[in-house]
């Protein structure tokens, strides 16, 4: 019976260590700076900008040209999809997106892959 308890304690210890190490690696993208890139017809697929009518209802102006080449910071990871993370992006200069939205959600890995975001140098 003592052997079983020792095994159980070792198993739990290793599982906690493994869980802690995974959490450390998922926090690497927070506070990283990226650059918004231009997309044909402003058809961003992996940066989830609000629809035009929602921007106008809140008193904002839909002007994607002002966002091109702006630096954004990853502030928080929201949820995990199959193989990537949904994150919150905030403009580095402190202004709001379209004048009304302080943060925007984006699928980070896919946005980088499709050229919607680029790592800032």
């Amino acid at each position: 019976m003592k052997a079983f308890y020792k095994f159980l304690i070792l198993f739990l210890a290793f599982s906690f260590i493994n869980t802690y190490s995974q959490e450390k690696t998922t926090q690497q993208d927070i506070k990283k700076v990226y650059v918004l890139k231009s997309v044909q017809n402003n058809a961003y697929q992996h940066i989830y900008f609000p629809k035009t009518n929602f921007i106008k209802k809140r008193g904002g102006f839909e002007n994607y040209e002002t966002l091109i080449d702006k630096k954004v910071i990853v502030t928080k990871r929201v949820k995990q999809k199959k193989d990537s993370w949904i994150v919150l992006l905030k403009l580095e200069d402190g202004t709001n997106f379209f004048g009304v939205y302080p943060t925007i959600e984006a699928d980070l890995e896919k946005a980088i892959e499709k050229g919607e975001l680029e790592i800032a140098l």
Side-chain angles (χ1 to χ4, degrees), residues 20-42:
Y20 180 73
S21 66
Q22 288 177 357
E23 287 179 15
K24 285 292 245 186
T25 58
T26 60
Q27 299 297 326
Q28 290 176 355
D29 291 330
I30 295 187
K31 305 268 182 180
K32 270 195 172 179
V33 179
Y34 296 91
V35 178
L36 284 170
K37 289 300 179 184
S38 174
V39 176
Q40 187 175 9
N41 296 331
N42 299 324

Side-chain angles (χ1 to χ4, degrees), residues 36-101:
L36 284 170
K37 289 300 179 184
S38 174
V39 176
Q40 187 175 9
N41 296 331
N42 299 324
Y44 290 92
Q45 294 177 345
H46 304 293
I47 299 175
Y48 306 121
F49 289 116
K51 293 182 180 180
T52 305
N53 60 333
F54 292 124
I55 296 170
K56 290 180 181 177
K57 282 182 184 178
R58 292 189 64 184
F61 298 101
E62 183 189 25
N63 189 359
Y64 287 97
E65 285 77 28
T66 60
L67 296 177
I68 296 173
D69 293 330
K70 286 255 186 164
K71 292 184 179 181
V72 294
I73 301 172
V74 175
T75 59
K76 179 180 171 184
R77 288 179 179 252
V78 179
K79 59 185 168 185
Q80 185 174 11
K81 284 182 123 178
K82 292 178 185 173
D83 57 343
S84 60
W85 280 91
I86 302 294
V87 297
L88 285 179
L89 299 176
K90 177 177 123 177
L91 287 171
E92 185 181 48
D93 58 5
T95 59
N96 292 338
F97 290 93
F98 308 113
V100 291
Y101 292 97

